[in-house]
Amino acid sequence: MFDMVIADPPPDIESDLFGHVLHSATIASPHIEELGWKYVQQEGYWCPSCAAPGRRPRPRGVTSS
């Protein structure tokens, strides 16, 4: 886990609600990917070694086929 500070202020919430809410993620995503982290749908970003197939913990009740 790491923290990334986005120094650019978001757009005004009154004029651009979605831009305001998604501002940090939109700005940070390319930087996170440059660090080698992988995005896993519905789970978020994982470090390169943890994102490898078979390395992520399975949700409870899920078994391999």
Side-chain angles (χ1 to χ4, degrees):
M1 178 190 294
F2 60 89
D3 291 327
M4 182 174 283
V5 176
I6 304 301
D8 299 333
D12 179 55
I13 194 168
E14 295 295 326
S15 61
D16 186 2
L17 174 63
F18 290 114
H20 181 85
V21 171
L22 299 175
H23 173 71
S24 294
T26 303
I27 301 296
S29 294
H31 299 292
I32 294 169
E33 291 170 3
E34 284 176 12
L35 295 172
W37 287 60
K38 309 292 181 200
Y39 183 77
V40 178
Q41 188 69 28
Q42 298 179 346
E43 294 183 22
Y45 283 94
W46 287 77
C47 72
S49 63
C50 295
R55 295 291 308 263
R56 293 193 324 272
R58 291 188 182 126
R60 283 198 155 138
V62 174
T63 58
S64 61
S65 50

Short mmCIF file of all heavy atoms in Angstrom, two decimals:
data_model
loop_
_atom_site.label_atom_id
_atom_site.label_comp_id
_atom_site.label_asym_id
_atom_site.label_seq_id
_atom_site.Cartn_x
_atom_site.Cartn_y
_atom_site.Cartn_z
N MET A 1 0.84 -1.15 0.00
CA MET A 1 0.00 0.00 0.00
C MET A 1 0.89 1.23 0.00
O MET A 1 1.98 1.23 0.56
CB MET A 1 -0.88 0.00 1.24
CG MET A 1 -1.75 1.23 1.29
SD MET A 1 -2.60 1.48 2.85
CE MET A 1 -3.71 0.13 2.90
N PHE A 2 0.44 2.28 -0.67
CA PHE A 2 1.16 3.54 -0.66
C PHE A 2 0.17 4.68 -0.79
O PHE A 2 -0.97 4.48 -1.20
CB PHE A 2 2.20 3.60 -1.78
CG PHE A 2 1.62 3.47 -3.16
CD1 PHE A 2 1.18 4.58 -3.86
CD2 PHE A 2 1.51 2.22 -3.76
CE1 PHE A 2 0.66 4.46 -5.14
CE2 PHE A 2 0.98 2.09 -5.04
CZ PHE A 2 0.56 3.21 -5.72
N ASP A 3 0.58 5.86 -0.41
CA ASP A 3 -0.23 7.07 -0.57
C ASP A 3 0.35 7.89 -1.69
O ASP A 3 1.56 8.00 -1.82
CB ASP A 3 -0.23 7.91 0.71
CG ASP A 3 -0.97 7.25 1.85
OD1 ASP A 3 -1.95 6.55 1.57
OD2 ASP A 3 -0.57 7.43 3.01
N MET A 4 -0.51 8.45 -2.51
CA MET A 4 -0.07 9.34 -3.57
C MET A 4 -0.82 10.65 -3.41
O MET A 4 -2.05 10.65 -3.33
CB MET A 4 -0.35 8.74 -4.94
CG MET A 4 0.15 9.61 -6.08
SD MET A 4 -0.03 8.83 -7.69
CE MET A 4 1.34 7.69 -7.63
N VAL A 5 -0.10 11.74 -3.31
CA VAL A 5 -0.70 13.05 -3.13
C VAL A 5 -0.84 13.71 -4.49
O VAL A 5 0.12 13.81 -5.25
CB VAL A 5 0.16 13.93 -2.20
CG1 VAL A 5 -0.41 15.33 -2.09
CG2 VAL A 5 0.30 13.28 -0.84
N ILE A 6 -2.06 14.15 -4.79
CA ILE A 6 -2.34 14.86 -6.04
C ILE A 6 -2.45 16.34 -5.69
O ILE A 6 -3.39 16.76 -5.00
CB ILE A 6 -3.66 14.35 -6.68
CG1 ILE A 6 -3.61 12.84 -6.90
CG2 ILE A 6 -3.94 15.09 -7.97
CD1 ILE A 6 -2.48 12.36 -7.78
N ALA A 7 -1.48 17.11 -6.15
CA ALA A 7 -1.41 18.53 -5.78
C ALA A 7 -2.38 19.41 -6.57
O ALA A 7 -2.76 20.47 -6.10
CB ALA A 7 0.01 19.03 -5.97
N ASP A 8 -2.77 18.97 -7.77
CA ASP A 8 -3.69 19.78 -8.58
C ASP A 8 -5.08 19.78 -7.95
O ASP A 8 -5.61 18.72 -7.63
CB ASP A 8 -3.80 19.22 -10.00
CG ASP A 8 -2.47 19.22 -10.72
OD1 ASP A 8 -1.62 20.06 -10.39
OD2 ASP A 8 -2.29 18.36 -11.60
N PRO A 9 -5.67 20.96 -7.78
CA PRO A 9 -7.01 21.01 -7.19
C PRO A 9 -8.05 20.43 -8.16
O PRO A 9 -7.91 20.56 -9.38
CB PRO A 9 -7.25 22.50 -6.95
CG PRO A 9 -6.34 23.20 -7.90
CD PRO A 9 -5.16 22.29 -8.10
N PRO A 10 -9.08 19.79 -7.62
CA PRO A 10 -10.14 19.25 -8.49
C PRO A 10 -11.01 20.36 -9.04
O PRO A 10 -11.02 21.48 -8.51
CB PRO A 10 -10.93 18.35 -7.54
CG PRO A 10 -10.73 18.95 -6.20
CD PRO A 10 -9.34 19.52 -6.21
N PRO A 11 -11.79 20.07 -10.08
CA PRO A 11 -12.74 21.07 -10.58
C PRO A 11 -13.81 21.36 -9.52
O PRO A 11 -14.00 20.57 -8.59
CB PRO A 11 -13.36 20.41 -11.81
CG PRO A 11 -12.87 19.02 -11.87
CD PRO A 11 -11.82 18.84 -10.84
N ASP A 12 -14.49 22.44 -9.68
CA ASP A 12 -15.53 22.85 -8.75
C ASP A 12 -16.64 21.79 -8.69
O ASP A 12 -17.13 21.34 -9.72
CB ASP A 12 -16.11 24.20 -9.19
CG ASP A 12 -17.21 24.67 -8.27
OD1 ASP A 12 -16.97 24.77 -7.05
OD2 ASP A 12 -18.32 24.91 -8.79
N ILE A 13 -17.03 21.43 -7.49
CA ILE A 13 -18.04 20.38 -7.30
C ILE A 13 -19.40 20.80 -7.85
O ILE A 13 -20.17 19.97 -8.33
CB ILE A 13 -18.13 19.96 -5.81
CG1 ILE A 13 -18.91 18.66 -5.68
CG2 ILE A 13 -18.73 21.07 -4.98
CD1 ILE A 13 -18.82 18.03 -4.30
N GLU A 14 -19.70 22.07 -7.78
CA GLU A 14 -21.00 22.56 -8.26
C GLU A 14 -21.11 22.49 -9.78
O GLU A 14 -22.18 22.20 -10.31
CB GLU A 14 -21.24 24.00 -7.79
CG GLU A 14 -21.35 24.14 -6.29
CD GLU A 14 -22.57 23.43 -5.72
OE1 GLU A 14 -23.62 23.37 -6.38
OE2 GLU A 14 -22.45 22.91 -4.59
N SER A 15 -20.03 22.73 -10.49
CA SER A 15 -20.09 22.74 -11.95
C SER A 15 -19.71 21.40 -12.58
O SER A 15 -20.07 21.13 -13.72
CB SER A 15 -19.19 23.85 -12.52
OG SER A 15 -17.86 23.62 -12.13
N ASP A 16 -18.96 20.55 -11.86
CA ASP A 16 -18.50 19.27 -12.43
C ASP A 16 -18.39 18.23 -11.31
O ASP A 16 -17.30 17.93 -10.84
CB ASP A 16 -17.16 19.47 -13.13
CG ASP A 16 -16.68 18.23 -13.86
OD1 ASP A 16 -17.40 17.21 -13.87
OD2 ASP A 16 -15.58 18.27 -14.42
N LEU A 17 -19.53 17.67 -10.91
CA LEU A 17 -19.56 16.72 -9.81
C LEU A 17 -18.68 15.50 -10.10
O LEU A 17 -17.85 15.12 -9.29
CB LEU A 17 -20.99 16.27 -9.52
CG LEU A 17 -21.13 15.16 -8.47
CD1 LEU A 17 -20.63 15.63 -7.12
CD2 LEU A 17 -22.56 14.68 -8.39
N PHE A 18 -18.85 14.87 -11.26
CA PHE A 18 -18.07 13.66 -11.57
C PHE A 18 -16.58 13.98 -11.71
O PHE A 18 -15.73 13.21 -11.26
CB PHE A 18 -18.60 12.97 -12.83
CG PHE A 18 -19.94 12.34 -12.61
CD1 PHE A 18 -21.06 12.82 -13.27
CD2 PHE A 18 -20.09 11.29 -11.73
CE1 PHE A 18 -22.29 12.24 -13.06
CE2 PHE A 18 -21.32 10.70 -11.51
CZ PHE A 18 -22.44 11.18 -12.19
N GLY A 19 -16.26 15.09 -12.33
CA GLY A 19 -14.86 15.50 -12.43
C GLY A 19 -14.25 15.74 -11.07
O GLY A 19 -13.09 15.40 -10.82
N HIS A 20 -15.04 16.30 -10.16
CA HIS A 20 -14.56 16.56 -8.80
C HIS A 20 -14.31 15.25 -8.05
O HIS A 20 -13.27 15.07 -7.43
CB HIS A 20 -15.59 17.40 -8.03
CG HIS A 20 -15.18 17.75 -6.65
ND1 HIS A 20 -14.38 18.83 -6.37
CD2 HIS A 20 -15.43 17.15 -5.45
CE1 HIS A 20 -14.16 18.89 -5.07
NE2 HIS A 20 -14.80 17.87 -4.49
N VAL A 21 -15.24 14.32 -8.16
CA VAL A 21 -15.14 13.04 -7.44
C VAL A 21 -14.02 12.17 -8.01
O VAL A 21 -13.28 11.53 -7.26
CB VAL A 21 -16.50 12.29 -7.49
CG1 VAL A 21 -16.37 10.88 -6.95
CG2 VAL A 21 -17.56 13.07 -6.73
N LEU A 22 -13.89 12.14 -9.33
CA LEU A 22 -12.92 11.25 -9.97
C LEU A 22 -11.56 11.89 -10.23
O LEU A 22 -10.67 11.24 -10.77
CB LEU A 22 -13.50 10.74 -11.29
CG LEU A 22 -14.80 9.93 -11.17
CD1 LEU A 22 -15.33 9.58 -12.55
CD2 LEU A 22 -14.57 8.69 -10.34
N HIS A 23 -11.39 13.13 -9.84
CA HIS A 23 -10.17 13.88 -10.15
C HIS A 23 -8.89 13.15 -9.72
O HIS A 23 -8.01 12.92 -10.53
CB HIS A 23 -10.22 15.25 -9.49
CG HIS A 23 -8.96 16.03 -9.61
ND1 HIS A 23 -8.54 16.57 -10.81
CD2 HIS A 23 -8.02 16.35 -8.70
CE1 HIS A 23 -7.39 17.19 -10.62
NE2 HIS A 23 -7.05 17.08 -9.35
N SER A 24 -8.80 12.75 -8.47
CA SER A 24 -7.57 12.12 -7.98
C SER A 24 -7.28 10.81 -8.70
O SER A 24 -6.14 10.53 -9.06
CB SER A 24 -7.66 11.87 -6.48
OG SER A 24 -7.71 13.10 -5.80
N ALA A 25 -8.32 10.00 -8.92
CA ALA A 25 -8.12 8.72 -9.61
C ALA A 25 -7.68 8.93 -11.05
O ALA A 25 -6.80 8.23 -11.55
CB ALA A 25 -9.40 7.90 -9.57
N THR A 26 -8.25 9.90 -11.73
CA THR A 26 -7.90 10.18 -13.12
C THR A 26 -6.45 10.63 -13.24
O THR A 26 -5.72 10.19 -14.13
CB THR A 26 -8.83 11.27 -13.70
OG1 THR A 26 -10.18 10.82 -13.58
CG2 THR A 26 -8.52 11.56 -15.15
N ILE A 27 -6.01 11.46 -12.33
CA ILE A 27 -4.64 11.97 -12.34
C ILE A 27 -3.65 10.89 -11.90
O ILE A 27 -2.56 10.74 -12.45
CB ILE A 27 -4.51 13.22 -11.43
CG1 ILE A 27 -5.44 14.34 -11.88
CG2 ILE A 27 -3.07 13.70 -11.37
CD1 ILE A 27 -5.16 14.89 -13.26
N ALA A 28 -4.00 10.11 -10.88
CA ALA A 28 -3.06 9.15 -10.28
C ALA A 28 -2.89 7.87 -11.10
O ALA A 28 -1.81 7.28 -11.08
CB ALA A 28 -3.53 8.79 -8.88
N SER A 29 -3.90 7.42 -11.81
CA SER A 29 -3.86 6.13 -12.50
C SER A 29 -2.63 5.93 -13.38
O SER A 29 -1.96 4.89 -13.27
CB SER A 29 -5.13 5.91 -13.32
OG SER A 29 -6.23 5.78 -12.47
N PRO A 30 -2.29 6.87 -14.26
CA PRO A 30 -1.09 6.66 -15.08
C PRO A 30 0.19 6.52 -14.26
O PRO A 30 1.07 5.73 -14.59
CB PRO A 30 -1.03 7.90 -15.98
CG PRO A 30 -2.39 8.50 -15.94
CD PRO A 30 -2.97 8.10 -14.62
N HIS A 31 0.30 7.28 -13.16
CA HIS A 31 1.49 7.21 -12.31
C HIS A 31 1.57 5.85 -11.60
O HIS A 31 2.65 5.27 -11.48
CB HIS A 31 1.48 8.33 -11.28
CG HIS A 31 1.50 9.69 -11.89
ND1 HIS A 31 2.59 10.19 -12.58
CD2 HIS A 31 0.55 10.66 -11.94
CE1 HIS A 31 2.32 11.41 -13.01
NE2 HIS A 31 1.09 11.71 -12.63
N ILE A 32 0.43 5.35 -11.15
CA ILE A 32 0.40 4.05 -10.47
C ILE A 32 0.81 2.95 -11.45
O ILE A 32 1.59 2.06 -11.10
CB ILE A 32 -1.01 3.78 -9.89
CG1 ILE A 32 -1.31 4.79 -8.78
CG2 ILE A 32 -1.14 2.35 -9.38
CD1 ILE A 32 -2.75 4.79 -8.32
N GLU A 33 0.31 3.01 -12.67
CA GLU A 33 0.66 2.01 -13.69
C GLU A 33 2.14 2.10 -14.07
O GLU A 33 2.77 1.08 -14.32
CB GLU A 33 -0.25 2.16 -14.89
CG GLU A 33 -1.68 1.73 -14.56
CD GLU A 33 -2.69 2.07 -15.64
OE1 GLU A 33 -2.30 2.61 -16.70
OE2 GLU A 33 -3.87 1.79 -15.41
N GLU A 34 2.72 3.31 -14.07
CA GLU A 34 4.16 3.46 -14.34
C GLU A 34 5.00 2.75 -13.28
O GLU A 34 6.10 2.29 -13.57
CB GLU A 34 4.54 4.94 -14.38
CG GLU A 34 4.13 5.66 -15.64
CD GLU A 34 4.46 7.14 -15.58
OE1 GLU A 34 5.20 7.58 -14.67
OE2 GLU A 34 3.95 7.87 -16.44
N LEU A 35 4.48 2.66 -12.06
CA LEU A 35 5.18 1.98 -10.97
C LEU A 35 5.06 0.46 -11.09
O LEU A 35 5.65 -0.27 -10.30
CB LEU A 35 4.64 2.44 -9.62
CG LEU A 35 4.88 3.91 -9.28
CD1 LEU A 35 4.12 4.30 -8.02
CD2 LEU A 35 6.37 4.17 -9.11
N GLY A 36 4.28 -0.02 -12.07
CA GLY A 36 4.16 -1.45 -12.30
C GLY A 36 2.95 -2.10 -11.64
O GLY A 36 2.75 -3.29 -11.77
N TRP A 37 2.14 -1.32 -10.95
CA TRP A 37 0.96 -1.89 -10.30
C TRP A 37 -0.08 -2.22 -11.36
O TRP A 37 -0.21 -1.53 -12.37
CB TRP A 37 0.41 -0.91 -9.27
CG TRP A 37 1.28 -0.83 -8.05
CD1 TRP A 37 2.58 -0.45 -8.01
CD2 TRP A 37 0.91 -1.16 -6.73
NE1 TRP A 37 3.05 -0.51 -6.73
CE2 TRP A 37 2.05 -0.93 -5.91
CE3 TRP A 37 -0.26 -1.60 -6.14
CZ2 TRP A 37 2.03 -1.15 -4.55
CZ3 TRP A 37 -0.27 -1.80 -4.76
CH2 TRP A 37 0.87 -1.59 -3.99
N LYS A 38 -0.83 -3.28 -11.15
CA LYS A 38 -1.83 -3.77 -12.10
C LYS A 38 -3.23 -3.55 -11.55
O LYS A 38 -3.49 -3.82 -10.37
CB LYS A 38 -1.65 -5.27 -12.38
CG LYS A 38 -0.25 -5.67 -12.76
CD LYS A 38 0.12 -5.11 -14.10
CE LYS A 38 1.53 -5.54 -14.47
NZ LYS A 38 2.14 -4.74 -15.46
N TYR A 39 -4.15 -3.12 -12.43
CA TYR A 39 -5.53 -2.92 -12.02
C TYR A 39 -6.31 -4.21 -12.22
O TYR A 39 -6.30 -4.78 -13.30
CB TYR A 39 -6.19 -1.78 -12.81
CG TYR A 39 -7.59 -1.50 -12.35
CD1 TYR A 39 -7.81 -0.78 -11.18
CD2 TYR A 39 -8.69 -1.98 -13.04
CE1 TYR A 39 -9.09 -0.53 -10.73
CE2 TYR A 39 -9.97 -1.74 -12.60
CZ TYR A 39 -10.17 -1.02 -11.45
OH TYR A 39 -11.44 -0.77 -11.00
N VAL A 40 -6.97 -4.67 -11.18
CA VAL A 40 -7.81 -5.86 -11.24
C VAL A 40 -9.25 -5.40 -11.10
O VAL A 40 -9.60 -4.75 -10.10
CB VAL A 40 -7.44 -6.86 -10.12
CG1 VAL A 40 -8.36 -8.07 -10.16
CG2 VAL A 40 -5.98 -7.27 -10.24
N GLN A 41 -10.08 -5.70 -12.11
CA GLN A 41 -11.47 -5.25 -12.13
C GLN A 41 -12.18 -5.61 -10.82
O GLN A 41 -12.06 -6.72 -10.34
CB GLN A 41 -12.20 -5.90 -13.31
CG GLN A 41 -13.58 -5.37 -13.55
CD GLN A 41 -13.59 -3.94 -14.07
OE1 GLN A 41 -12.66 -3.49 -14.71
NE2 GLN A 41 -14.64 -3.23 -13.77
N GLN A 42 -12.89 -4.66 -10.25
CA GLN A 42 -13.66 -4.78 -9.02
C GLN A 42 -12.81 -4.99 -7.77
O GLN A 42 -13.36 -5.22 -6.70
CB GLN A 42 -14.71 -5.88 -9.14
CG GLN A 42 -15.71 -5.62 -10.22
CD GLN A 42 -16.74 -6.74 -10.34
OE1 GLN A 42 -16.57 -7.82 -9.79
NE2 GLN A 42 -17.81 -6.48 -11.06
N GLU A 43 -11.48 -4.95 -7.89
CA GLU A 43 -10.63 -5.11 -6.72
C GLU A 43 -9.69 -3.94 -6.51
O GLU A 43 -9.24 -3.70 -5.41
CB GLU A 43 -9.81 -6.41 -6.83
CG GLU A 43 -10.67 -7.65 -6.79
CD GLU A 43 -9.83 -8.91 -6.83
OE1 GLU A 43 -8.64 -8.86 -6.49
OE2 GLU A 43 -10.38 -9.95 -7.20
N GLY A 44 -9.31 -3.24 -7.58
CA GLY A 44 -8.38 -2.13 -7.45
C GLY A 44 -6.98 -2.51 -7.90
O GLY A 44 -6.79 -3.49 -8.61
N TYR A 45 -6.00 -1.74 -7.46
CA TYR A 45 -4.62 -1.94 -7.88
C TYR A 45 -3.91 -2.95 -6.98
O TYR A 45 -4.08 -2.94 -5.77
CB TYR A 45 -3.86 -0.62 -7.88
CG TYR A 45 -4.19 0.22 -9.07
CD1 TYR A 45 -5.17 1.19 -9.00
CD2 TYR A 45 -3.54 0.04 -10.28
CE1 TYR A 45 -5.50 1.96 -10.11
CE2 TYR A 45 -3.85 0.80 -11.39
CZ TYR A 45 -4.83 1.75 -11.29
OH TYR A 45 -5.15 2.50 -12.39
N TRP A 46 -3.08 -3.80 -7.60
CA TRP A 46 -2.27 -4.79 -6.90
C TRP A 46 -0.83 -4.63 -7.34
O TRP A 46 -0.57 -4.29 -8.49
CB TRP A 46 -2.73 -6.20 -7.26
CG TRP A 46 -4.04 -6.58 -6.63
CD1 TRP A 46 -5.28 -6.18 -7.03
CD2 TRP A 46 -4.24 -7.41 -5.50
NE1 TRP A 46 -6.22 -6.72 -6.22
CE2 TRP A 46 -5.61 -7.49 -5.27
CE3 TRP A 46 -3.37 -8.11 -4.67
CZ2 TRP A 46 -6.15 -8.23 -4.22
CZ3 TRP A 46 -3.92 -8.85 -3.63
CH2 TRP A 46 -5.29 -8.90 -3.41
N CYS A 47 0.11 -4.90 -6.43
CA CYS A 47 1.52 -4.83 -6.80
C CYS A 47 1.80 -5.90 -7.86
O CYS A 47 1.05 -6.86 -7.98
CB CYS A 47 2.42 -5.01 -5.58
SG CYS A 47 2.48 -6.68 -4.93
N PRO A 48 2.87 -5.74 -8.64
CA PRO A 48 3.13 -6.67 -9.74
C PRO A 48 3.21 -8.14 -9.32
O PRO A 48 2.64 -9.00 -9.99
CB PRO A 48 4.48 -6.20 -10.30
CG PRO A 48 4.58 -4.77 -9.89
CD PRO A 48 3.85 -4.66 -8.58
N SER A 49 3.87 -8.44 -8.22
CA SER A 49 3.99 -9.86 -7.84
C SER A 49 2.67 -10.41 -7.31
O SER A 49 2.35 -11.58 -7.53
CB SER A 49 5.10 -10.06 -6.81
OG SER A 49 4.82 -9.36 -5.63
N CYS A 50 1.88 -9.59 -6.64
CA CYS A 50 0.60 -10.06 -6.11
C CYS A 50 -0.47 -10.18 -7.20
O CYS A 50 -1.43 -10.92 -7.04
CB CYS A 50 0.09 -9.12 -5.03
SG CYS A 50 1.14 -9.07 -3.57
N ALA A 51 -0.32 -9.43 -8.29
CA ALA A 51 -1.31 -9.46 -9.36
C ALA A 51 -1.14 -10.65 -10.29
O ALA A 51 -2.00 -10.92 -11.11
CB ALA A 51 -1.23 -8.16 -10.17
N ALA A 52 -0.04 -11.38 -10.15
CA ALA A 52 0.20 -12.55 -11.00
C ALA A 52 -0.90 -13.59 -10.80
O ALA A 52 -1.41 -13.74 -9.68
CB ALA A 52 1.56 -13.15 -10.69
N PRO A 53 -1.28 -14.30 -11.85
CA PRO A 53 -2.32 -15.33 -11.71
C PRO A 53 -1.98 -16.31 -10.59
O PRO A 53 -0.85 -16.76 -10.45
CB PRO A 53 -2.32 -16.03 -13.07
CG PRO A 53 -1.75 -15.01 -14.01
CD PRO A 53 -0.76 -14.22 -13.20
N GLY A 54 -2.97 -16.62 -9.77
CA GLY A 54 -2.79 -17.56 -8.68
C GLY A 54 -2.23 -16.96 -7.41
O GLY A 54 -2.14 -17.63 -6.39
N ARG A 55 -1.84 -15.70 -7.44
CA ARG A 55 -1.22 -15.06 -6.26
C ARG A 55 -2.23 -14.30 -5.41
O ARG A 55 -2.02 -14.12 -4.23
CB ARG A 55 -0.11 -14.09 -6.69
CG ARG A 55 1.07 -14.73 -7.38
CD ARG A 55 1.90 -15.59 -6.42
NE ARG A 55 2.28 -14.91 -5.19
CZ ARG A 55 3.43 -14.32 -4.96
NH1 ARG A 55 4.35 -14.29 -5.90
NH2 ARG A 55 3.68 -13.73 -3.81
N ARG A 56 -3.31 -13.80 -6.03
CA ARG A 56 -4.29 -13.03 -5.26
C ARG A 56 -5.12 -13.98 -4.40
O ARG A 56 -5.47 -15.08 -4.81
CB ARG A 56 -5.21 -12.25 -6.20
CG ARG A 56 -4.49 -11.15 -6.94
CD ARG A 56 -5.42 -10.18 -7.62
NE ARG A 56 -6.61 -10.74 -8.18
CZ ARG A 56 -6.72 -11.23 -9.41
NH1 ARG A 56 -5.68 -11.25 -10.20
NH2 ARG A 56 -7.86 -11.69 -9.85
N PRO A 57 -5.45 -13.57 -3.19
CA PRO A 57 -6.28 -14.42 -2.34
C PRO A 57 -7.67 -14.57 -2.95
O PRO A 57 -8.19 -13.64 -3.56
CB PRO A 57 -6.34 -13.66 -1.01
CG PRO A 57 -5.87 -12.29 -1.29
CD PRO A 57 -5.08 -12.33 -2.56
N ARG A 58 -8.23 -15.75 -2.83
CA ARG A 58 -9.56 -16.00 -3.36
C ARG A 58 -10.61 -15.57 -2.34
O ARG A 58 -10.41 -15.74 -1.14
CB ARG A 58 -9.74 -17.48 -3.64
CG ARG A 58 -8.92 -17.97 -4.77
CD ARG A 58 -9.32 -19.40 -5.08
NE ARG A 58 -8.45 -19.87 -6.15
CZ ARG A 58 -7.74 -20.98 -6.10
NH1 ARG A 58 -7.80 -21.75 -5.03
NH2 ARG A 58 -6.98 -21.33 -7.09
N PRO A 59 -11.75 -15.08 -2.82
CA PRO A 59 -12.84 -14.77 -1.89
C PRO A 59 -13.32 -16.06 -1.22
O PRO A 59 -13.19 -17.15 -1.78
CB PRO A 59 -13.93 -14.19 -2.78
CG PRO A 59 -13.24 -13.79 -4.06
CD PRO A 59 -12.05 -14.69 -4.19
N ARG A 60 -13.87 -15.93 -0.05
CA ARG A 60 -14.40 -17.11 0.66
C ARG A 60 -15.41 -17.84 -0.20
O ARG A 60 -16.24 -17.22 -0.86
CB ARG A 60 -15.06 -16.68 1.95
CG ARG A 60 -14.10 -16.35 3.01
CD ARG A 60 -14.81 -16.39 4.34
NE ARG A 60 -13.81 -16.67 5.36
CZ ARG A 60 -13.78 -16.08 6.52
NH1 ARG A 60 -14.69 -15.20 6.82
NH2 ARG A 60 -12.85 -16.38 7.38
N GLY A 61 -15.36 -19.14 -0.18
CA GLY A 61 -16.33 -19.95 -0.91
C GLY A 61 -15.96 -20.21 -2.36
O GLY A 61 -16.64 -20.95 -3.05
N VAL A 62 -14.88 -19.60 -2.85
CA VAL A 62 -14.46 -19.80 -4.24
C VAL A 62 -13.38 -20.86 -4.26
O VAL A 62 -12.39 -20.76 -3.54
CB VAL A 62 -13.93 -18.48 -4.86
CG1 VAL A 62 -13.36 -18.74 -6.25
CG2 VAL A 62 -15.01 -17.45 -4.90
N THR A 63 -13.58 -21.88 -5.06
CA THR A 63 -12.59 -22.95 -5.17
C THR A 63 -12.10 -23.03 -6.59
O THR A 63 -12.74 -22.53 -7.52
CB THR A 63 -13.20 -24.30 -4.77
OG1 THR A 63 -14.32 -24.56 -5.62
CG2 THR A 63 -13.66 -24.30 -3.32
N SER A 64 -10.95 -23.64 -6.79
CA SER A 64 -10.43 -23.79 -8.15
C SER A 64 -11.18 -24.90 -8.85
O SER A 64 -11.71 -25.82 -8.24
CB SER A 64 -8.93 -24.09 -8.11
OG SER A 64 -8.71 -25.28 -7.41
N SER A 65 -11.23 -24.83 -10.18
CA SER A 65 -11.95 -25.85 -10.94
C SER A 65 -11.01 -26.87 -11.52
O SER A 65 -9.85 -26.72 -11.60
CB SER A 65 -12.76 -25.21 -12.04
OG SER A 65 -11.99 -24.32 -12.79
#
